[in-house]
Amino acid sequence: MTKELNPFDALEERLQARKTEYDTMPIPDMAASQAVKTGIRQASRQRKTRLRWLASSISAAALILLFTGCIRVSPAFASFVEQLPGMEGVVDLIRQDKGLMMAIDQSLLQKVGITDEQDGGSVTVEGIITDESRMVIFYKMKGMKDVDQFNYDVDLLDGNGEHLPVGLSYSAPHADGEDQVHENLIDVFFTNESSPPDVLTVVFKSTDNTNPGVWKVTTPVDKNLTKGMKKVIPVNQTLIIEGQHIQVKQATMYPTRLVLDVQLDPNNTKKIFGLSDLQLVDEQGRAWKTNTSIGEDTRSIYFESMYFSKPKKLTLQGSGFSGLDKKELEFSLNLNTHEITGGPSGLRMLGSKVEGKDLIVDFSVPDSMENSFVFSFSKVKDSTGQSYETPGASWSSGHGKDQNHTTVSITIEKGAKLQGDLQMQIATYPSKTNAPFSLEIPVHP
């Protein structure tokens, strides 16, 4: 007897099969590493901003392929998946973003379905969802040779062919099945200086010789789908955490996310890299997460959107912050003796090596990088005052028998000939202060 399924049950059965595949899939460290490298490559035009977004979401990069939670879909979301045949995998990518799921549930996704094919390999932009703050582009790759090893960069252009001044992120490729199909999304962050274009060109540039080529998809952007939906909520309250003052200025709610604008007091004794375990909790106890922020003393923090759940009350909660005393941000390092003068307690230089034109310096950090900020630098100067870029970092838990430390390798670009003293300024560091806090956000002032 043949089992008959209605369309929703059939969809859920396919999603359940996909979940089983993802549950049994090994997630190698290289997947996270490649995601980090991809983000760093995309930081070339706005290095500081994009690297900061990347540093605050590295843990999420490693988990992008995981499918979590039970599988239930609403009729609207089921319809969305059915409209984009073969794109069930997008559910895997956005399942952990309740706000984005709700926005799609409200039929705010623009179907595109445009393909560019080069030498048997094709890229299809299947759909776009955008508001004034964020754009998510769903795409699919087919016919690439060895997709799991295929590396590429992404550029976004406006109708005049100019690069969009935005931040963006996307993960390393992963092929599904023998057809070598890779489904993914590009998460685009608009700043105060940018907004969705009327016409968008998505450019995929191969960075290896296995699949050489450039794929371009151009499409108009339907901005009317979310026009006029922006909601600004004044807050103007001050958080005091362990003597550090943070003014929460306002919350801006969009269909795809909520933006919380804060101002760090310049007189604070500590440099705050980020607030730990930050979430917004509504009156029903539902938590809305964040994993991204940009800015220095004036900072925007991005949360899942609760726009369509219409909360009556929101409470900002956190477990403390990650930061260092400002006097510990700068230190001198002697490459010959490994001596460190200044800096955070417990930081040690282990050694260095030359790779091509670059210098790799190994440090021991007395903290874990798990679910934390990486160890990175904003400035590196030699004894003559010449500055050097530090575009990459890698790390591993433990050092020898000491599992309470993390070994961090910092790449100093074009620093192969460096000797003697370096002046270094820390941008982020994996130190945490435990100090739970909460603040009521007046949703209906």
Side-chain angles (χ1 to χ4, degrees), residues 52 56 264 270-275 293 295-296 299 321-325 329 373-374 426-431:
R52 188 171 302 110
S56 62
L264 278 62
K270 292 181 179 289
K271 169 72 173 182
I272 297 176
F273 308 130
L275 301 175
S293 67
E296 290 292 338
R299 187 172 301 181
F321 63 89
S322 177
L324 277 179
D325 286 339
L329 293 174
F373 283 84
V374 300
I426 294 173
T428 55
Y429 194 80
S431 61

mmCIF file with all atom_site columns, all heavy atoms in Angstrom, residues 52 56 264 270-275 293 295-296 299 321-325 329 373-374 426-431:
data_model
loop_
_atom_site.group_PDB
_atom_site.id
_atom_site.type_symbol
_atom_site.label_atom_id
_atom_site.label_alt_id
_atom_site.label_comp_id
_atom_site.label_asym_id
_atom_site.label_entity_id
_atom_site.label_seq_id
_atom_site.pdbx_PDB_ins_code
_atom_site.Cartn_x
_atom_site.Cartn_y
_atom_site.Cartn_z
_atom_site.occupancy
_atom_site.B_iso_or_equiv
_atom_site.pdbx_formal_charge
_atom_site.auth_seq_id
_atom_site.auth_comp_id
_atom_site.auth_asym_id
_atom_site.auth_atom_id
_atom_site.pdbx_PDB_model_num
ATOM 1   N N   . ARG A 1 52  ? 35.302 43.294 12.406 1.00 0.00 ? 52  ARG A N   1
ATOM 2   C CA  . ARG A 1 52  ? 34.647 43.351 13.710 1.00 0.00 ? 52  ARG A CA  1
ATOM 3   C C   . ARG A 1 52  ? 33.379 42.523 13.704 1.00 0.00 ? 52  ARG A C   1
ATOM 4   O O   . ARG A 1 52  ? 33.070 41.811 14.639 1.00 0.00 ? 52  ARG A O   1
ATOM 5   C CB  . ARG A 1 52  ? 34.326 44.798 14.070 1.00 0.00 ? 52  ARG A CB  1
ATOM 6   C CG  . ARG A 1 52  ? 33.832 44.962 15.487 1.00 0.00 ? 52  ARG A CG  1
ATOM 7   C CD  . ARG A 1 52  ? 33.747 46.411 15.874 1.00 0.00 ? 52  ARG A CD  1
ATOM 8   N NE  . ARG A 1 52  ? 35.030 47.065 15.748 1.00 0.00 ? 52  ARG A NE  1
ATOM 9   C CZ  . ARG A 1 52  ? 35.317 47.971 14.827 1.00 0.00 ? 52  ARG A CZ  1
ATOM 10  N NH1 . ARG A 1 52  ? 34.430 48.347 13.962 1.00 0.00 ? 52  ARG A NH1 1
ATOM 11  N NH2 . ARG A 1 52  ? 36.512 48.518 14.776 1.00 0.00 ? 52  ARG A NH2 1
ATOM 12  N N   . SER A 1 56  ? 32.844 38.920 16.030 1.00 0.00 ? 56  SER A N   1
ATOM 13  C CA  . SER A 1 56  ? 31.769 38.715 16.989 1.00 0.00 ? 56  SER A CA  1
ATOM 14  C C   . SER A 1 56  ? 30.856 37.574 16.616 1.00 0.00 ? 56  SER A C   1
ATOM 15  O O   . SER A 1 56  ? 29.938 37.246 17.347 1.00 0.00 ? 56  SER A O   1
ATOM 16  C CB  . SER A 1 56  ? 30.940 39.991 17.131 1.00 0.00 ? 56  SER A CB  1
ATOM 17  O OG  . SER A 1 56  ? 30.333 40.317 15.904 1.00 0.00 ? 56  SER A OG  1
ATOM 18  N N   . LEU A 1 264 ? 29.036 54.078 24.487 1.00 0.00 ? 264 LEU A N   1
ATOM 19  C CA  . LEU A 1 264 ? 29.930 53.754 25.597 1.00 0.00 ? 264 LEU A CA  1
ATOM 20  C C   . LEU A 1 264 ? 30.575 55.038 26.108 1.00 0.00 ? 264 LEU A C   1
ATOM 21  O O   . LEU A 1 264 ? 31.073 55.854 25.322 1.00 0.00 ? 264 LEU A O   1
ATOM 22  C CB  . LEU A 1 264 ? 31.013 52.770 25.149 1.00 0.00 ? 264 LEU A CB  1
ATOM 23  C CG  . LEU A 1 264 ? 30.628 51.286 25.117 1.00 0.00 ? 264 LEU A CG  1
ATOM 24  C CD1 . LEU A 1 264 ? 29.493 51.003 24.133 1.00 0.00 ? 264 LEU A CD1 1
ATOM 25  C CD2 . LEU A 1 264 ? 31.839 50.435 24.761 1.00 0.00 ? 264 LEU A CD2 1
ATOM 26  N N   . LYS A 1 270 ? 37.560 50.689 31.177 1.00 0.00 ? 270 LYS A N   1
ATOM 27  C CA  . LYS A 1 270 ? 37.780 49.492 30.373 1.00 0.00 ? 270 LYS A CA  1
ATOM 28  C C   . LYS A 1 270 ? 37.347 49.706 28.930 1.00 0.00 ? 270 LYS A C   1
ATOM 29  O O   . LYS A 1 270 ? 36.415 50.462 28.658 1.00 0.00 ? 270 LYS A O   1
ATOM 30  C CB  . LYS A 1 270 ? 37.016 48.292 30.954 1.00 0.00 ? 270 LYS A CB  1
ATOM 31  C CG  . LYS A 1 270 ? 37.537 47.803 32.301 1.00 0.00 ? 270 LYS A CG  1
ATOM 32  C CD  . LYS A 1 270 ? 36.739 46.597 32.787 1.00 0.00 ? 270 LYS A CD  1
ATOM 33  C CE  . LYS A 1 270 ? 37.278 46.089 34.126 1.00 0.00 ? 270 LYS A CE  1
ATOM 34  N NZ  . LYS A 1 270 ? 38.594 45.449 33.963 1.00 0.00 ? 270 LYS A NZ  1
ATOM 35  N N   . LYS A 1 271 ? 38.051 49.034 28.027 1.00 0.00 ? 271 LYS A N   1
ATOM 36  C CA  . LYS A 1 271 ? 37.631 48.970 26.637 1.00 0.00 ? 271 LYS A CA  1
ATOM 37  C C   . LYS A 1 271 ? 36.690 47.780 26.521 1.00 0.00 ? 271 LYS A C   1
ATOM 38  O O   . LYS A 1 271 ? 37.087 46.632 26.752 1.00 0.00 ? 271 LYS A O   1
ATOM 39  C CB  . LYS A 1 271 ? 38.842 48.772 25.727 1.00 0.00 ? 271 LYS A CB  1
ATOM 40  C CG  . LYS A 1 271 ? 38.514 48.420 24.286 1.00 0.00 ? 271 LYS A CG  1
ATOM 41  C CD  . LYS A 1 271 ? 37.945 49.603 23.527 1.00 0.00 ? 271 LYS A CD  1
ATOM 42  C CE  . LYS A 1 271 ? 37.787 49.258 22.056 1.00 0.00 ? 271 LYS A CE  1
ATOM 43  N NZ  . LYS A 1 271 ? 37.271 50.410 21.282 1.00 0.00 ? 271 LYS A NZ  1
ATOM 44  N N   . ILE A 1 272 ? 35.427 48.033 26.182 1.00 0.00 ? 272 ILE A N   1
ATOM 45  C CA  . ILE A 1 272 ? 34.432 46.971 26.101 1.00 0.00 ? 272 ILE A CA  1
ATOM 46  C C   . ILE A 1 272 ? 34.338 46.487 24.655 1.00 0.00 ? 272 ILE A C   1
ATOM 47  O O   . ILE A 1 272 ? 33.976 47.246 23.752 1.00 0.00 ? 272 ILE A O   1
ATOM 48  C CB  . ILE A 1 272 ? 33.064 47.461 26.607 1.00 0.00 ? 272 ILE A CB  1
ATOM 49  C CG1 . ILE A 1 272 ? 33.172 47.845 28.086 1.00 0.00 ? 272 ILE A CG1 1
ATOM 50  C CG2 . ILE A 1 272 ? 31.993 46.389 26.402 1.00 0.00 ? 272 ILE A CG2 1
ATOM 51  C CD1 . ILE A 1 272 ? 31.888 48.437 28.655 1.00 0.00 ? 272 ILE A CD1 1
ATOM 52  N N   . PHE A 1 273 ? 34.664 45.200 24.444 1.00 0.00 ? 273 PHE A N   1
ATOM 53  C CA  . PHE A 1 273 ? 34.577 44.617 23.108 1.00 0.00 ? 273 PHE A CA  1
ATOM 54  C C   . PHE A 1 273 ? 33.145 44.207 22.790 1.00 0.00 ? 273 PHE A C   1
ATOM 55  O O   . PHE A 1 273 ? 32.701 44.333 21.656 1.00 0.00 ? 273 PHE A O   1
ATOM 56  C CB  . PHE A 1 273 ? 35.497 43.397 22.993 1.00 0.00 ? 273 PHE A CB  1
ATOM 57  C CG  . PHE A 1 273 ? 36.908 43.661 23.427 1.00 0.00 ? 273 PHE A CG  1
ATOM 58  C CD1 . PHE A 1 273 ? 37.536 42.825 24.324 1.00 0.00 ? 273 PHE A CD1 1
ATOM 59  C CD2 . PHE A 1 273 ? 37.605 44.756 22.938 1.00 0.00 ? 273 PHE A CD2 1
ATOM 60  C CE1 . PHE A 1 273 ? 38.839 43.058 24.730 1.00 0.00 ? 273 PHE A CE1 1
ATOM 61  C CE2 . PHE A 1 273 ? 38.907 45.018 23.334 1.00 0.00 ? 273 PHE A CE2 1
ATOM 62  C CZ  . PHE A 1 273 ? 39.528 44.157 24.239 1.00 0.00 ? 273 PHE A CZ  1
ATOM 63  N N   . GLY A 1 274 ? 32.434 43.720 23.788 1.00 0.00 ? 274 GLY A N   1
ATOM 64  C CA  . GLY A 1 274 ? 31.057 43.289 23.566 1.00 0.00 ? 274 GLY A CA  1
ATOM 65  C C   . GLY A 1 274 ? 30.390 42.889 24.865 1.00 0.00 ? 274 GLY A C   1
ATOM 66  O O   . GLY A 1 274 ? 31.052 42.616 25.868 1.00 0.00 ? 274 GLY A O   1
ATOM 67  N N   . LEU A 1 275 ? 29.062 42.878 24.839 1.00 0.00 ? 275 LEU A N   1
ATOM 68  C CA  . LEU A 1 275 ? 28.275 42.440 25.987 1.00 0.00 ? 275 LEU A CA  1
ATOM 69  C C   . LEU A 1 275 ? 27.996 40.946 25.855 1.00 0.00 ? 275 LEU A C   1
ATOM 70  O O   . LEU A 1 275 ? 27.625 40.467 24.779 1.00 0.00 ? 275 LEU A O   1
ATOM 71  C CB  . LEU A 1 275 ? 26.972 43.228 26.073 1.00 0.00 ? 275 LEU A CB  1
ATOM 72  C CG  . LEU A 1 275 ? 27.147 44.750 26.206 1.00 0.00 ? 275 LEU A CG  1
ATOM 73  C CD1 . LEU A 1 275 ? 25.792 45.450 26.168 1.00 0.00 ? 275 LEU A CD1 1
ATOM 74  C CD2 . LEU A 1 275 ? 27.891 45.103 27.492 1.00 0.00 ? 275 LEU A CD2 1
ATOM 75  N N   . SER A 1 293 ? 27.637 43.072 16.061 1.00 0.00 ? 293 SER A N   1
ATOM 76  C CA  . SER A 1 293 ? 27.622 44.487 16.426 1.00 0.00 ? 293 SER A CA  1
ATOM 77  C C   . SER A 1 293 ? 28.691 45.203 15.627 1.00 0.00 ? 293 SER A C   1
ATOM 78  O O   . SER A 1 293 ? 29.664 44.588 15.181 1.00 0.00 ? 293 SER A O   1
ATOM 79  C CB  . SER A 1 293 ? 27.866 44.683 17.925 1.00 0.00 ? 293 SER A CB  1
ATOM 80  O OG  . SER A 1 293 ? 29.182 44.300 18.268 1.00 0.00 ? 293 SER A OG  1
ATOM 81  N N   . GLY A 1 295 ? 30.861 49.208 15.326 1.00 0.00 ? 295 GLY A N   1
ATOM 82  C CA  . GLY A 1 295 ? 31.106 50.504 15.946 1.00 0.00 ? 295 GLY A CA  1
ATOM 83  C C   . GLY A 1 295 ? 32.099 50.406 17.079 1.00 0.00 ? 295 GLY A C   1
ATOM 84  O O   . GLY A 1 295 ? 32.467 49.332 17.544 1.00 0.00 ? 295 GLY A O   1
ATOM 85  N N   . GLU A 1 296 ? 32.537 51.565 17.539 1.00 0.00 ? 296 GLU A N   1
ATOM 86  C CA  . GLU A 1 296 ? 33.469 51.643 18.663 1.00 0.00 ? 296 GLU A CA  1
ATOM 87  C C   . GLU A 1 296 ? 32.704 52.155 19.889 1.00 0.00 ? 296 GLU A C   1
ATOM 88  O O   . GLU A 1 296 ? 31.914 51.433 20.459 1.00 0.00 ? 296 GLU A O   1
ATOM 89  C CB  . GLU A 1 296 ? 34.641 52.555 18.289 1.00 0.00 ? 296 GLU A CB  1
ATOM 90  C CG  . GLU A 1 296 ? 35.563 51.938 17.237 1.00 0.00 ? 296 GLU A CG  1
ATOM 91  C CD  . GLU A 1 296 ? 36.325 50.735 17.751 1.00 0.00 ? 296 GLU A CD  1
ATOM 92  O OE1 . GLU A 1 296 ? 36.482 50.597 18.978 1.00 0.00 ? 296 GLU A OE1 1
ATOM 93  O OE2 . GLU A 1 296 ? 36.782 49.925 16.928 1.00 0.00 ? 296 GLU A OE2 1
ATOM 94  N N   . ARG A 1 299 ? 27.885 52.438 19.071 1.00 0.00 ? 299 ARG A N   1
ATOM 95  C CA  . ARG A 1 299 ? 27.811 51.058 18.578 1.00 0.00 ? 299 ARG A CA  1
ATOM 96  C C   . ARG A 1 299 ? 26.374 50.667 18.285 1.00 0.00 ? 299 ARG A C   1
ATOM 97  O O   . ARG A 1 299 ? 25.437 51.068 18.978 1.00 0.00 ? 299 ARG A O   1
ATOM 98  C CB  . ARG A 1 299 ? 28.403 50.123 19.641 1.00 0.00 ? 299 ARG A CB  1
ATOM 99  C CG  . ARG A 1 299 ? 28.567 48.689 19.236 1.00 0.00 ? 299 ARG A CG  1
ATOM 100 C CD  . ARG A 1 299 ? 29.347 47.934 20.308 1.00 0.00 ? 299 ARG A CD  1
ATOM 101 N NE  . ARG A 1 299 ? 30.670 48.511 20.550 1.00 0.00 ? 299 ARG A NE  1
ATOM 102 C CZ  . ARG A 1 299 ? 31.537 48.021 21.419 1.00 0.00 ? 299 ARG A CZ  1
ATOM 103 N NH1 . ARG A 1 299 ? 31.225 46.952 22.138 1.00 0.00 ? 299 ARG A NH1 1
ATOM 104 N NH2 . ARG A 1 299 ? 32.719 48.590 21.580 1.00 0.00 ? 299 ARG A NH2 1
ATOM 105 N N   . PHE A 1 321 ? 30.360 41.366 30.341 1.00 0.00 ? 321 PHE A N   1
ATOM 106 C CA  . PHE A 1 321 ? 30.965 41.908 29.128 1.00 0.00 ? 321 PHE A CA  1
ATOM 107 C C   . PHE A 1 321 ? 32.362 41.334 28.924 1.00 0.00 ? 321 PHE A C   1
ATOM 108 O O   . PHE A 1 321 ? 32.980 40.776 29.835 1.00 0.00 ? 321 PHE A O   1
ATOM 109 C CB  . PHE A 1 321 ? 31.030 43.438 29.165 1.00 0.00 ? 321 PHE A CB  1
ATOM 110 C CG  . PHE A 1 321 ? 31.887 44.010 30.266 1.00 0.00 ? 321 PHE A CG  1
ATOM 111 C CD1 . PHE A 1 321 ? 33.250 44.228 30.065 1.00 0.00 ? 321 PHE A CD1 1
ATOM 112 C CD2 . PHE A 1 321 ? 31.328 44.352 31.492 1.00 0.00 ? 321 PHE A CD2 1
ATOM 113 C CE1 . PHE A 1 321 ? 34.036 44.764 31.076 1.00 0.00 ? 321 PHE A CE1 1
ATOM 114 C CE2 . PHE A 1 321 ? 32.101 44.880 32.506 1.00 0.00 ? 321 PHE A CE2 1
ATOM 115 C CZ  . PHE A 1 321 ? 33.461 45.084 32.300 1.00 0.00 ? 321 PHE A CZ  1
ATOM 116 N N   . SER A 1 322 ? 32.825 41.482 27.693 1.00 0.00 ? 322 SER A N   1
ATOM 117 C CA  . SER A 1 322 ? 34.198 41.131 27.349 1.00 0.00 ? 322 SER A CA  1
ATOM 118 C C   . SER A 1 322 ? 34.965 42.431 27.161 1.00 0.00 ? 322 SER A C   1
ATOM 119 O O   . SER A 1 322 ? 34.527 43.311 26.419 1.00 0.00 ? 322 SER A O   1
ATOM 120 C CB  . SER A 1 322 ? 34.237 40.304 26.061 1.00 0.00 ? 322 SER A CB  1
ATOM 121 O OG  . SER A 1 322 ? 35.563 40.008 25.682 1.00 0.00 ? 322 SER A OG  1
ATOM 122 N N   . GLY A 1 323 ? 36.091 42.570 27.868 1.00 0.00 ? 323 GLY A N   1
ATOM 123 C CA  . GLY A 1 323 ? 36.842 43.814 27.759 1.00 0.00 ? 323 GLY A CA  1
ATOM 124 C C   . GLY A 1 323 ? 38.141 43.766 28.532 1.00 0.00 ? 323 GLY A C   1
ATOM 125 O O   . GLY A 1 323 ? 38.437 42.797 29.235 1.00 0.00 ? 323 GLY A O   1
ATOM 126 N N   . LEU A 1 324 ? 38.929 44.792 28.352 1.00 0.00 ? 324 LEU A N   1
ATOM 127 C CA  . LEU A 1 324 ? 40.228 44.929 29.031 1.00 0.00 ? 324 LEU A CA  1
ATOM 128 C C   . LEU A 1 324 ? 40.358 46.328 29.609 1.00 0.00 ? 324 LEU A C   1
ATOM 129 O O   . LEU A 1 324 ? 39.759 47.287 29.091 1.00 0.00 ? 324 LEU A O   1
ATOM 130 C CB  . LEU A 1 324 ? 41.382 44.713 28.046 1.00 0.00 ? 324 LEU A CB  1
ATOM 131 C CG  . LEU A 1 324 ? 41.845 43.305 27.701 1.00 0.00 ? 324 LEU A CG  1
ATOM 132 C CD1 . LEU A 1 324 ? 42.984 43.391 26.691 1.00 0.00 ? 324 LEU A CD1 1
ATOM 133 C CD2 . LEU A 1 324 ? 42.295 42.538 28.939 1.00 0.00 ? 324 LEU A CD2 1
ATOM 134 N N   . ASP A 1 325 ? 41.154 46.457 30.673 1.00 0.00 ? 325 ASP A N   1
ATOM 135 C CA  . ASP A 1 325 ? 41.531 47.790 31.128 1.00 0.00 ? 325 ASP A CA  1
ATOM 136 C C   . ASP A 1 325 ? 42.222 48.520 29.980 1.00 0.00 ? 325 ASP A C   1
ATOM 137 O O   . ASP A 1 325 ? 43.048 47.940 29.272 1.00 0.00 ? 325 ASP A O   1
ATOM 138 C CB  . ASP A 1 325 ? 42.486 47.702 32.322 1.00 0.00 ? 325 ASP A CB  1
ATOM 139 C CG  . ASP A 1 325 ? 41.772 47.299 33.601 1.00 0.00 ? 325 ASP A CG  1
ATOM 140 O OD1 . ASP A 1 325 ? 40.551 47.481 33.670 1.00 0.00 ? 325 ASP A OD1 1
ATOM 141 O OD2 . ASP A 1 325 ? 42.445 46.780 34.514 1.00 0.00 ? 325 ASP A OD2 1
ATOM 142 N N   . LEU A 1 329 ? 45.780 47.741 26.780 1.00 0.00 ? 329 LEU A N   1
ATOM 143 C CA  . LEU A 1 329 ? 45.552 47.560 25.350 1.00 0.00 ? 329 LEU A CA  1
ATOM 144 C C   . LEU A 1 329 ? 46.828 47.642 24.527 1.00 0.00 ? 329 LEU A C   1
ATOM 145 O O   . LEU A 1 329 ? 46.919 47.036 23.458 1.00 0.00 ? 329 LEU A O   1
ATOM 146 C CB  . LEU A 1 329 ? 44.549 48.600 24.834 1.00 0.00 ? 329 LEU A CB  1
ATOM 147 C CG  . LEU A 1 329 ? 43.113 48.473 25.349 1.00 0.00 ? 329 LEU A CG  1
ATOM 148 C CD1 . LEU A 1 329 ? 42.276 49.649 24.878 1.00 0.00 ? 329 LEU A CD1 1
ATOM 149 C CD2 . LEU A 1 329 ? 42.490 47.165 24.885 1.00 0.00 ? 329 LEU A CD2 1
ATOM 150 N N   . PHE A 1 373 ? 35.495 36.552 21.999 1.00 0.00 ? 373 PHE A N   1
ATOM 151 C CA  . PHE A 1 373 ? 36.222 37.320 20.997 1.00 0.00 ? 373 PHE A CA  1
ATOM 152 C C   . PHE A 1 373 ? 37.587 36.696 20.754 1.00 0.00 ? 373 PHE A C   1
ATOM 153 O O   . PHE A 1 373 ? 38.202 36.146 21.668 1.00 0.00 ? 373 PHE A O   1
ATOM 154 C CB  . PHE A 1 373 ? 36.392 38.775 21.449 1.00 0.00 ? 373 PHE A CB  1
ATOM 155 C CG  . PHE A 1 373 ? 35.158 39.599 21.303 1.00 0.00 ? 373 PHE A CG  1
ATOM 156 C CD1 . PHE A 1 373 ? 34.176 39.594 22.281 1.00 0.00 ? 373 PHE A CD1 1
ATOM 157 C CD2 . PHE A 1 373 ? 34.952 40.382 20.184 1.00 0.00 ? 373 PHE A CD2 1
ATOM 158 C CE1 . PHE A 1 373 ? 33.022 40.342 22.149 1.00 0.00 ? 373 PHE A CE1 1
ATOM 159 C CE2 . PHE A 1 373 ? 33.812 41.141 20.030 1.00 0.00 ? 373 PHE A CE2 1
ATOM 160 C CZ  . PHE A 1 373 ? 32.838 41.123 21.022 1.00 0.00 ? 373 PHE A CZ  1
ATOM 161 N N   . VAL A 1 374 ? 38.059 36.811 19.528 1.00 0.00 ? 374 VAL A N   1
ATOM 162 C CA  . VAL A 1 374 ? 39.396 36.335 19.220 1.00 0.00 ? 374 VAL A CA  1
ATOM 163 C C   . VAL A 1 374 ? 40.414 37.376 19.673 1.00 0.00 ? 374 VAL A C   1
ATOM 164 O O   . VAL A 1 374 ? 40.074 38.513 19.966 1.00 0.00 ? 374 VAL A O   1
ATOM 165 C CB  . VAL A 1 374 ? 39.557 36.073 17.708 1.00 0.00 ? 374 VAL A CB  1
ATOM 166 C CG1 . VAL A 1 374 ? 38.585 35.028 17.232 1.00 0.00 ? 374 VAL A CG1 1
ATOM 167 C CG2 . VAL A 1 374 ? 39.398 37.359 16.910 1.00 0.00 ? 374 VAL A CG2 1
ATOM 168 N N   . ILE A 1 426 ? 45.903 46.147 21.027 1.00 0.00 ? 426 ILE A N   1
ATOM 169 C CA  . ILE A 1 426 ? 44.901 45.087 20.976 1.00 0.00 ? 426 ILE A CA  1
ATOM 170 C C   . ILE A 1 426 ? 43.559 45.643 20.510 1.00 0.00 ? 426 ILE A C   1
ATOM 171 O O   . ILE A 1 426 ? 43.094 46.672 20.989 1.00 0.00 ? 426 ILE A O   1
ATOM 172 C CB  . ILE A 1 426 ? 44.752 44.435 22.362 1.00 0.00 ? 426 ILE A CB  1
ATOM 173 C CG1 . ILE A 1 426 ? 46.058 43.713 22.736 1.00 0.00 ? 426 ILE A CG1 1
ATOM 174 C CG2 . ILE A 1 426 ? 43.575 43.465 22.396 1.00 0.00 ? 426 ILE A CG2 1
ATOM 175 C CD1 . ILE A 1 426 ? 46.074 43.173 24.155 1.00 0.00 ? 426 ILE A CD1 1
ATOM 176 N N   . ALA A 1 427 ? 42.937 44.930 19.569 1.00 0.00 ? 427 ALA A N   1
ATOM 177 C CA  . ALA A 1 427 ? 41.597 45.293 19.107 1.00 0.00 ? 427 ALA A CA  1
ATOM 178 C C   . ALA A 1 427 ? 40.537 44.499 19.854 1.00 0.00 ? 427 ALA A C   1
ATOM 179 O O   . ALA A 1 427 ? 39.513 45.048 20.274 1.00 0.00 ? 427 ALA A O   1
ATOM 180 C CB  . ALA A 1 427 ? 41.461 45.051 17.602 1.00 0.00 ? 427 ALA A CB  1
ATOM 181 N N   . THR A 1 428 ? 40.747 43.190 20.006 1.00 0.00 ? 428 THR A N   1
ATOM 182 C CA  . THR A 1 428 ? 39.838 42.326 20.766 1.00 0.00 ? 428 THR A CA  1
ATOM 183 C C   . THR A 1 428 ? 40.659 41.290 21.517 1.00 0.00 ? 428 THR A C   1
ATOM 184 O O   . THR A 1 428 ? 41.767 40.931 21.098 1.00 0.00 ? 428 THR A O   1
ATOM 185 C CB  . THR A 1 428 ? 38.827 41.603 19.854 1.00 0.00 ? 428 THR A CB  1
ATOM 186 O OG1 . THR A 1 428 ? 39.530 40.876 18.831 1.00 0.00 ? 428 THR A OG1 1
ATOM 187 C CG2 . THR A 1 428 ? 37.867 42.588 19.213 1.00 0.00 ? 428 THR A CG2 1
ATOM 188 N N   . TYR A 1 429 ? 40.076 40.805 22.617 1.00 0.00 ? 429 TYR A N   1
ATOM 189 C CA  . TYR A 1 429 ? 40.790 39.864 23.483 1.00 0.00 ? 429 TYR A CA  1
ATOM 190 C C   . TYR A 1 429 ? 39.751 39.028 24.225 1.00 0.00 ? 429 TYR A C   1
ATOM 191 O O   . TYR A 1 429 ? 38.705 39.550 24.643 1.00 0.00 ? 429 TYR A O   1
ATOM 192 C CB  . TYR A 1 429 ? 41.654 40.651 24.479 1.00 0.00 ? 429 TYR A CB  1
ATOM 193 C CG  . TYR A 1 429 ? 42.691 39.835 25.205 1.00 0.00 ? 429 TYR A CG  1
ATOM 194 C CD1 . TYR A 1 429 ? 43.894 39.501 24.593 1.00 0.00 ? 429 TYR A CD1 1
ATOM 195 C CD2 . TYR A 1 429 ? 42.474 39.416 26.518 1.00 0.00 ? 429 TYR A CD2 1
ATOM 196 C CE1 . TYR A 1 429 ? 44.857 38.763 25.258 1.00 0.00 ? 429 TYR A CE1 1
ATOM 197 C CE2 . TYR A 1 429 ? 43.435 38.684 27.191 1.00 0.00 ? 429 TYR A CE2 1
ATOM 198 C CZ  . TYR A 1 429 ? 44.628 38.354 26.555 1.00 0.00 ? 429 TYR A CZ  1
ATOM 199 O OH  . TYR A 1 429 ? 45.581 37.621 27.227 1.00 0.00 ? 429 TYR A OH  1
ATOM 200 N N   . PRO A 1 430 ? 40.010 37.731 24.419 1.00 0.00 ? 430 PRO A N   1
ATOM 201 C CA  . PRO A 1 430 ? 38.983 36.852 25.014 1.00 0.00 ? 430 PRO A CA  1
ATOM 202 C C   . PRO A 1 430 ? 38.935 36.888 26.537 1.00 0.00 ? 430 PRO A C   1
ATOM 203 O O   . PRO A 1 430 ? 39.116 35.858 27.204 1.00 0.00 ? 430 PRO A O   1
ATOM 204 C CB  . PRO A 1 430 ? 39.414 35.470 24.511 1.00 0.00 ? 430 PRO A CB  1
ATOM 205 C CG  . PRO A 1 430 ? 40.899 35.562 24.428 1.00 0.00 ? 430 PRO A CG  1
ATOM 206 C CD  . PRO A 1 430 ? 41.189 36.965 23.965 1.00 0.00 ? 430 PRO A CD  1
ATOM 207 N N   . SER A 1 431 ? 38.720 38.064 27.096 1.00 0.00 ? 431 SER A N   1
ATOM 208 C CA  . SER A 1 431 ? 38.590 38.167 28.548 1.00 0.00 ? 431 SER A CA  1
ATOM 209 C C   . SER A 1 431 ? 37.154 38.550 28.891 1.00 0.00 ? 431 SER A C   1
ATOM 210 O O   . SER A 1 431 ? 36.547 39.375 28.212 1.00 0.00 ? 431 SER A O   1
ATOM 211 C CB  . SER A 1 431 ? 39.549 39.219 29.102 1.00 0.00 ? 431 SER A CB  1
ATOM 212 O OG  . SER A 1 431 ? 39.250 40.491 28.552 1.00 0.00 ? 431 SER A OG  1
#
